[in-house]
Amino acid sequence: MRVRMAPSPTGPLHIGTARTSLYNLLAARHAGGTFVLRIEDTDVARSTPEFERDIIDGLHWLGITWDEGPQVAGGTDIGPHAPYRQSLRLELYAREAGRLLASGAAYRCWCTPEELEAVRRAQEAAREPPRYNRRCLSLTDADVAAFTAEGRRAAIRFKVPAERIGFDDIVRGEVEFDNALLGDFVIVRNDGVPLYHFVVVIDDEEMGITHVIRGEDHLSNTPKHIALIRALGYREPRFGHIPLILNQDRSKMSKRKSQTAIAAYREDGYLPEALVNFLAFLGWSPGTEEELFTLDELADRFEIGAVHRGGAIFDRDRLDHLNGVYIRALTDTQLALRLRPWVPAAVDDAGLLAIVPLVRERLVRLGDVVGLAGFLWEPDAVVSSWYSPDLLRPRNGGPEAAETALAGTIATLSAMAPAEFAADEIEHRIRTAAETAGVKAGDFFTPIRVAITGRTVSPPLFASLELLGRDRSLARLADARARLATSGAR
RNA sequence: GCCCCCAUCGUCUAGAGGCCUAGGACGCCACCCUUUCAAGGUGGAGAUCACCGGUUCGAAUCCGGUUGGGGGCACCA
């Protein structure tokens, strides 16, 4: 089995492209086959090296690797069919176009976009299906001479045979189309650039692709490809069309309605292993009730033929849950390493490792560490700016209750030696202070929490105090007390 | 408009004629735990298997139609 993924570098790596790549990889691995990556960059106007890099980096990040193809953006291609970038294979396409022209399976077309548009409008008005009227199929030498003299350049159209085309789709079963309903489509633009439907067929043949696994949006294109394959005398691969990933409204997932760039998920702090697991289950299931798998385990059980036929909505809540599960499964050291990109360098590795236990149960995404533990590295003034003094007041109590807690805690912490400043000891003493003041523990803690973390929701309070340190804690408590007094005067 | 594909809780799905008074997970609700928030535990609501008609002793599972949804019909990929 030889499968391939052929992304087009006309945009960043899309979540759908990532899943199709994953399914191809899984199918190849499961069958002990070969996975090829080919860059579909014939659209020179829209393709960029930056997008190519984004795609390759994103795939690597997900752990999706290929046996043949460009390994690095701009790097050397690896494999017996190199190059794997279509922009480098132009002579091959030109030669095949020549064969089609010579056999009469294709013909030159001199129509201008305006002429084509006019014909299309006329057909619409007459309620006819919009398709090319074959004007250029029966041109006289004089017509051609006139167009040439005019400076027109010809595109090449494939003369679609009027026949029914059926095939046995790996995921959908028997499907049949009537190519008589198709217009003769352009395979080479008038500037000489070959088009998708044409090059995809040539490359798949030349690269020995045996199974074409792609999105359902290509199902209707398949009869075009089969017609081309027959006209060129190629071997017909098996086709398998996997269901689309959908927006909330069940339309094809798009940038407009969903977050589609893999890089964005990476930046939010989703774990690649969580994303892979999630993507694999969007449209497939091993049929058991286990749901946590590594890439290797997925490859072991994946059956391309067992893929569902219906599209699946991208459920962010489910991804979030899965990501949390994967985060919690990490060791402290592993999690610290993953968190590094979101934590400033001023927090050293030991400091970061100390933060991990405070946040691990609370992280949905790695990036959430900033909101959860930022109070530890942000300046006091910044943290102070996060809250308004009235948030210092506990649920059951007014400003005076806040003042009592703040003052009591300042006295308590001031009396502690640096060596004693550990979570357990801090908790013991503050609880005692609360009892002495006759205030319920929870109400006593709220003002402290806000003063220290700047928020009403935070990691466990006493460990937070310990990590912040006695002096900075005292400074924040004093600041809170001062702000409370000022606001209370109003 | 034409062609094609699809259809089980809100969502992802298990289910390949009797094991289904339809199972799991996410989300939601309640309770427990608890210094907040999470995490964790327990319980709960939630699907007449889109609808109609067949086949069969028996259908979520097979067949046909209807409806609904989606995709494709470019000198984009």
Side-chain angles (χ1 to χ4, degrees):
Chain A
M1 174 186 256
R2 285 179 60 83
V3 299
R4 50 63 168 183
M5 182 63 205
S8 170
T10 52
L13 179 59
H14 189 283
I15 201 106
T17 307
R19 189 188 59 150
T20 306
S21 301
L22 177 63
Y23 279 23
N24 270 282
L25 171 69
L26 259 22
R29 285 263 204 94
H30 184 78
T34 303
F35 177 39
V36 177
L37 181 75
R38 181 171 75 223
I39 302 297
E40 210 106 356
D41 60 352
T42 53
D43 187 345
V44 261
R46 296 195 299 145
S47 297
T48 73
E50 288 72 30
F51 287 142
E52 184 182 318
R53 172 186 299 278
D54 183 86
I55 291 168
I56 290 178
D57 287 355
L59 254 17
H60 278 316
W61 176 69
L62 286 169
I64 295 174
T65 55
W66 43 99
D67 306 297
E68 296 175 22
Q71 301 300 308
V72 181
T76 318
D77 293 357
I78 293 176
H81 302 279
Y84 290 88
R85 283 183 183 76
Q86 293 185 327
S87 56
L88 267 27
R89 303 166 62 82
L90 266 20
E91 340 73 60
L92 171 63
Y93 311 134
R95 191 176 75 221
E96 294 303 84
R99 282 179 53 213
L100 251 23
L101 244 19
S103 71
Y107 58 94
R108 295 185 198 281
C109 172
W110 276 269
C111 294
T112 64
E114 296 71 35
E115 290 168 346
L116 259 17
E117 181 55 33
V119 171
R120 203 174 0 252
R121 267 204 297 272
Q123 288 169 332
E124 264 172 42
R127 296 205 313 271
E128 286 168 19
R131 69 177 99 135
Y132 184 59
N133 63 6
R134 290 193 162 172
R135 183 190 70 163
C136 291
L137 187 54
S138 50
L139 253 29
T140 63
D141 288 351
D143 292 332
V144 172
F147 286 144
T148 310
E150 217 177 287
R152 290 197 192 187
R153 299 181 58 183
I156 301 174
R157 281 184 189 275
F158 178 58
K159 192 172 150 193
V160 181
E163 61 184 345
R164 296 196 70 82
I165 301 253
F167 58 97
D168 185 18
D169 192 277
I170 302 167
V171 339
R172 279 147 218 287
E174 292 293 341
V175 184
E176 196 183 64
F177 291 84
D178 186 0
N179 273 6
L181 268 21
L182 251 42
D184 293 342
F185 55 93
V186 172
I187 55 176
V188 179
R189 303 201 319 194
N190 73 169
D191 62 0
V193 174
L195 261 20
Y196 170 73
H197 296 306
F198 186 48
V199 294
V200 72
V201 159
I202 296 172
D203 284 334
D204 284 345
E205 163 72 14
E206 206 275 335
M207 294 178 181
I209 301 304
T210 59
H211 301 255
V212 173
I213 298 166
R214 67 209 331 186
E216 195 198 330
D217 46 351
H218 281 300
L219 186 59
S220 308
N221 290 327
T222 305
K224 290 180 188 173
H225 299 166
I226 292 178
L228 238 16
I229 284 166
R230 291 179 182 171
L232 287 160
Y234 294 163
R235 297 157 297 182
E236 187 178 321
R238 294 226 37 205
F239 293 94
H241 292 91
I242 66 179
L244 265 18
I245 300 181
L246 277 23
N247 293 312
Q248 288 300 322
D249 63 4
R250 303 212 76 95
S251 56
K252 179 162 90 168
M253 196 182 190
S254 62
K255 186 164 81 179
R256 201 81 195 108
K257 297 174 180 171
S258 306
Q259 176 169 306
T260 56
I262 289 291
Y265 287 90
R266 182 180 185 172
E267 284 158 20
D268 286 345
Y270 285 96
L271 266 32
E273 53 269 49
L275 208 44
V276 160
N277 202 126
F278 174 74
L279 254 18
F281 277 72
L282 265 190
W284 174 79
S285 154
T288 64
E289 288 186 353
E290 309 159 78
E291 34 196 27
L292 257 38
F293 293 93
T294 62
L295 201 44
D296 286 340
E297 289 165 342
L298 287 171
D300 201 42
R301 307 174 195 225
F302 187 78
E303 292 288 347
I304 186 66
V307 169
H308 302 153
R309 294 181 292 271
I313 292 174
F314 188 93
D315 182 359
R316 191 63 171 262
D317 284 337
R318 196 180 171 81
L319 205 215
D320 282 347
H321 170 259
L322 206 54
N323 204 55
V325 169
Y326 274 89
I327 284 177
R328 274 170 253 131
L330 260 22
T331 65
D332 283 3
T333 313
Q334 289 170 331
L335 185 48
L337 213 56
R338 304 271 199 146
L339 251 16
R340 189 76 262 187
W342 283 273
V343 177
V347 176
D348 64 17
D349 289 348
L352 177 49
L353 197 58
I355 291 172
V356 169
L358 302 208
V359 299
R360 79 141 9 96
E361 309 290 285
R362 284 162 255 269
L363 292 171
V364 172
R365 293 161 294 260
L366 296 173
D368 295 341
V369 70
V370 174
L372 249 23
F375 71 93
L376 289 169
W377 59 75
E378 290 295 342
D380 295 349
V382 171
V383 174
S384 183
S385 75
W386 288 346
Y387 68 93
S388 74
D390 49 295
L391 285 179
L392 256 2
R393 298 198 311 254
R395 278 255 178 273
N396 309 304
E400 63 293 335
E403 164 59 21
T404 302
L406 259 16
T409 306
I410 288 173
T412 303
L413 299 190
S414 299
M416 292 180 77
E420 297 172 319
F421 205 72
D424 286 351
E425 184 61 23
I426 295 169
E427 174 167 7
H428 175 249
R429 297 207 188 185
I430 289 183
R431 279 186 188 281
T432 303
E435 258 178 68
T436 306
V439 179
K440 268 181 62 182
D443 290 332
F444 198 81
F445 298 162
T446 296
I448 307 174
R449 181 187 312 285
V450 174
I452 297 300
T453 69
R455 306 183 196 283
T456 54
V457 169
S458 80
L461 184 57
F462 308 107
S464 294
L465 283 162
E466 178 186 335
L467 289 188
L468 223 214
R470 199 191 71 153
D471 295 347
R472 292 187 69 193
S473 296
L474 247 15
R476 287 186 187 181
L477 289 163
D479 171 62
R481 203 177 167 194
R483 293 183 63 199
L484 187 68
T486 309
S487 73
R490 269 187 295 176

